[in-house]
Amino acid sequence: MDIGLFGGSFNPPHVAHLVVAEIARDQLGFDEVWWIPNATPPHKSHDELAAVEHRLAMTRRAIADNPSFRVSEIEVGREGVSYTVDTLRVLQDEHPDTDFGLLLGSDSLDHFGEWHRPDEIMERVPLVVYKRPGIIEDVPEPRFANRVRFVSAPVMEVSGTEIRSRRRAGRSIRYLVPETVRSYIREHNLYRGTEMDGE
């Protein structure tokens, strides 16, 4: 099988995540895309990070209607920081006949050389990179160039930061996240929003 690995904080999962994952699956012929919520992401501030059980539950709801998507809990139970290279080692040991590709945004590619053991990651899997707003499609470090494949996805200026900000201000997040995710956020009053969101 060919599997796309889509890791992230998913804080919360939103419509741009879904578009990118589906277009990458379609363009590169992945049999499935595995969504991997981070327990303790190494590159994110924890100030606004919802508890991992909430982010896991929201991710499950976000992808529920796509049979080619599934959630992996491989990083949820891991103690300490979730490093991509550790996840790849485990998955490749468990699925030796599977070819994986790692999905990430081009903003992450700009800093990929700063990741934990980037050269080992590149030896293990190709990077499937989707364009983020304001980012030029270029590979900053030439040694990575032959292991990067770009995805022609629509550029959607939707971010978790924007969604959390709108929640804090009591503004609508309708259509920025799947309705099942919006309902979950309201039910659990995540991101310090108000009960009037989207009404």
Side-chain angles (χ1 to χ4, degrees):
M1 292 182 71
D2 291 330
I3 301 297
L5 301 176
F6 193 15
S9 57
F10 302 123
N11 187 40
H14 49 69
V15 293
H17 289 137
L18 291 164
V19 168
V20 164
E22 176 62 12
I23 288 181
R25 183 203 63 76
D26 178 60
Q27 286 188 12
L28 299 184
F30 289 129
D31 296 293
E32 293 180 343
V33 173
W34 294 358
W35 295 55
I36 307 176
N38 308 132
T40 309
H43 306 292
K44 298 280 188 178
S45 166
H46 295 182
D47 294 345
E48 294 186 318
L49 194 64
V52 67
E53 59 266 25
H54 288 312
R55 294 184 287 110
L56 183 62
M58 288 189 288
T59 304
R60 290 192 187 284
R61 284 161 174 75
I63 71 168
D65 65 351
N66 190 325
S68 297
F69 291 169
R70 72 180 239 195
V71 173
S72 168
E73 297 186 28
I74 187 169
E75 294 191 358
V76 170
R78 181 181 300 157
E79 295 183 1
V81 174
S82 298
Y83 288 117
T84 299
V85 69
D86 296 327
T87 298
L88 292 174
R89 290 168 181 164
V90 172
L91 288 175
Q92 289 180 324
D93 285 346
E94 292 179 349
H95 306 278
D97 297 325
T98 297
D99 292 323
F100 293 105
L102 183 65
L103 277 67
L104 70 161
S106 49
D107 53 346
S108 295
L109 180 64
D110 283 346
H111 303 285
F112 182 74
E114 302 166 18
W115 286 29
H116 183 62
R117 302 189 66 85
D119 291 284
E120 181 180 344
I121 293 173
M122 295 295 282
E123 289 172 4
R124 288 180 172 275
V125 295
L127 300 186
V128 177
V129 179
Y130 56 93
K131 190 180 189 306
R132 297 292 296 271
I135 306 295
I136 298 173
E137 291 189 4
D138 193 13
V139 180
E141 298 198 39
R143 75 184 194 273
F144 298 146
N146 65 345
R147 295 287 284 166
V148 174
R149 301 177 68 183
F150 285 100
V151 171
S152 300
V155 177
M156 300 180 66
E157 297 190 29
V158 178
S159 70
T161 300
E162 176 190 3
I163 291 165
R164 295 190 301 272
S165 176
R166 294 178 71 88
R167 279 289 291 168
R168 285 195 306 273
R171 299 176 63 193
S172 174
I173 60 170
R174 191 186 298 269
Y175 308 125
L176 298 179
V177 297
E179 185 60 24
T180 53
V181 172
R182 189 175 75 98
S183 297
Y184 187 94
I185 290 172
R186 286 166 52 85
E187 178 185 349
H188 296 274
N189 199 28
L190 299 182
Y191 312 117
R192 300 183 298 277
T194 72
E195 293 302 313
M196 296 302 294
D197 168 54
E199 295 292 322

